[in-house]
Amino acid sequence: MTPLETFLTGLIGAEGPLRIDRYMALCLGHPRYGYYMTRDPLGDRGDFITAPEVSQVFGELIGVWAVGAWGAMGQPEAINLVELGPGRGTLMADVLRTVRKAAPRFAAAASVHLVETSPVLRAKQHGAVGEAATWHDRLGDVPDSPMILIANEFFDAIPIRQFERRGGAWRERVIGLTDGGLSMGLGGIVPGSMGKDGDVMEFAPARDEIARHIGGRLAAHPGAALLIDYGHLRTAPGDTLQAMRAHRFVPLTEAPGEADLTSHADFEKLAAALREGGAVAHHAMTQRGFLMAMGLEQRMAQLALRADDQTRATLARQMARLADGAQMGNLFKLLCATSPGMSAPYPFG
């Protein structure tokens, strides 16, 4: 039994079953035993790999997009360059390296702000970007200013609620106790008449609130946001909640605090929340479509020209991992939001 499992068992015994969102929040963010509070989860020795860890070219192309967004804003002399959930800092380091070389005026205008709650990951980020950044626990702590915001695999880790239709009624999924330990069950009946037995619906109030906050900032000051995550373009029934440990899927209640819990981002709901905040949300696209439009093939070919055979093979694998339809290319989506009246940065315009 993990330390967090012991804590959860006592909590459920005292207060009753936990909603999925509370269970997920404790598994990921408990100040002492939470998954993100105690480890670096990325890489071959961790539990998953994100696109910036696959290839530096991903961050380079995001940097090129950021420069385009700055141009669409009218090239303000001072902006906040914000990243939510920056992982090891790899993406921001690649962005900064790119813009310092290709667009020094943009680099000079940008103040870097990283929103991160994990002390372990903050240390990794500091090692990657040095003194170039200011750290915050939440987006609300970032000063108001013209802004370019990037969120890569951030929204998938925001806690969700789940409802299952059973016996002609909707019930909320909860985590309770059985003789075998923690297990998923169903709570009381909640209102709702649509759907069929077996359907599962997911709602992410905290995720929507963050998107509305981003939208409000974009409405108040010039700016653009780029949200990158795995998920679906249209709202639909389905159970997307998953636990991953050592690069394999495991049961949701296995080793709480030692497995990553995520769900697919609902880009239709994210776009709606951004608009509710006052921003303009543009049509989402696949990661493959975005990277190809931004010049992934050309950049990989450029790198391959001065590479040996082994490195060229590595570059080919990296490109396939990022953009192949059977890998990250179609599973991951990108959603761009901008201030009202601002043209959408390429390739969203």
Side-chain angles (χ1 to χ4, degrees):
M1 185 176 288
T2 67
L4 183 61
E5 188 171 0
T6 301
F7 170 82
L8 292 170
T9 298
L11 180 64
I12 294 170
E15 299 184 5
L18 302 177
R19 290 187 342 196
I20 293 293
D21 58 344
R22 190 177 181 200
Y23 174 76
M24 193 173 174
L26 288 168
C27 285
L28 298 179
H30 185 280
R32 186 173 180 183
Y33 306 127
Y35 177 78
Y36 284 113
M37 300 296 113
T38 59
R39 72 199 64 227
D40 173 5
L42 296 157
D44 292 336
R45 295 184 179 181
D47 297 308
F48 58 89
I49 295 176
T50 61
E53 305 292 333
V54 173
S55 170
Q56 70 180 46
V57 176
F58 183 83
E60 291 176 359
L61 298 180
I62 298 297
V64 173
W65 176 87
V67 174
W70 178 62
M73 295 164 63
Q75 299 187 351
E77 294 183 359
I79 63 167
N80 286 337
L81 179 58
V82 181
E83 186 177 1
L84 306 182
R88 290 173 168 170
T90 304
L91 174 57
M92 184 58 72
D94 290 339
V95 167
L96 291 176
R97 186 187 66 255
T98 300
V99 301
R100 285 166 180 161
K101 183 181 298 184
R105 285 185 57 234
F106 170 81
S111 297
V112 178
H113 296 268
L114 303 180
V115 179
E116 178 61 69
T117 58
S118 167
V120 176
L121 290 177
R122 278 195 181 197
K124 295 282 186 179
Q125 293 155 17
H126 192 276
V129 302
E131 302 298 327
T134 302
W135 278 263
H136 309 273
D137 288 331
R138 59 191 186 93
L139 178 58
D141 296 333
V142 177
D144 289 331
S145 172
M147 174 185 75
I148 294 174
L149 178 144
I150 302 164
N152 180 59
E153 290 202 53
F154 170 78
F155 284 95
D156 63 274
I158 303 298
I160 64 167
R161 298 175 68 180
Q162 284 191 321
F163 298 84
E164 181 178 337
R165 192 159 181 86
R166 182 83 63 83
W170 286 101
R171 297 175 184 268
E172 185 157 14
R173 284 182 167 179
V174 295
I175 300 297
L177 299 176
T178 64
D179 292 340
L182 300 175
S183 65
M184 182 183 290
L186 295 177
I189 294 175
V190 297
S193 58
M194 299 182 65
K196 63 182 185 301
D197 274 13
D199 281 352
V200 175
M201 292 297 295
E202 297 179 338
F203 297 89
R207 183 186 289 168
D208 295 342
E209 181 57 33
I210 295 169
R212 276 191 294 270
H213 182 85
I214 294 170
R217 283 181 171 249
L218 295 178
H221 300 279
L226 188 64
L227 314 185
I228 311 161
D229 230 309
Y230 53 88
H232 41 276
L233 295 174
R234 298 287 177 265
T235 301
D239 180 0
T240 73
L241 185 60
Q242 59 192 29
M244 181 166 283
R245 188 181 185 198
H247 299 273
R248 67 181 183 88
F249 293 110
V250 297
L252 188 66
T253 55
E254 179 178 307
E258 296 183 3
D260 186 33
L261 305 184
T262 63
S263 69
H264 286 209
D266 184 331
F267 282 86
E268 183 175 4
K269 288 183 178 178
L270 283 175
L274 288 163
R275 295 185 184 109
E276 288 171 6
V280 177
H282 304 277
H283 291 295
M285 64 173 58
T286 65
Q287 181 167 294
R288 174 180 174 79
F290 174 84
L291 293 178
M292 291 302 187
M294 294 300 296
L296 175 64
E297 286 183 307
Q298 294 89 335
R299 178 58 175 150
M300 287 297 195
Q302 181 185 46
L303 292 173
L305 283 175
R306 53 179 184 269
D308 57 29
D309 289 345
Q310 183 177 353
T311 302
R312 281 195 290 271
T314 298
L315 291 170
R317 287 194 299 271
Q318 291 174 344
M319 181 170 166
R321 181 74 179 272
L322 290 173
D324 191 281
Q327 298 192 56
M328 299 175 78
N330 287 340
L331 175 62
F332 280 74
K333 316 296 191 303
L334 290 91
L335 174 63
C336 173
T338 59
S339 300
M342 175 179 158
S343 60
Y346 182 82
F348 296 94

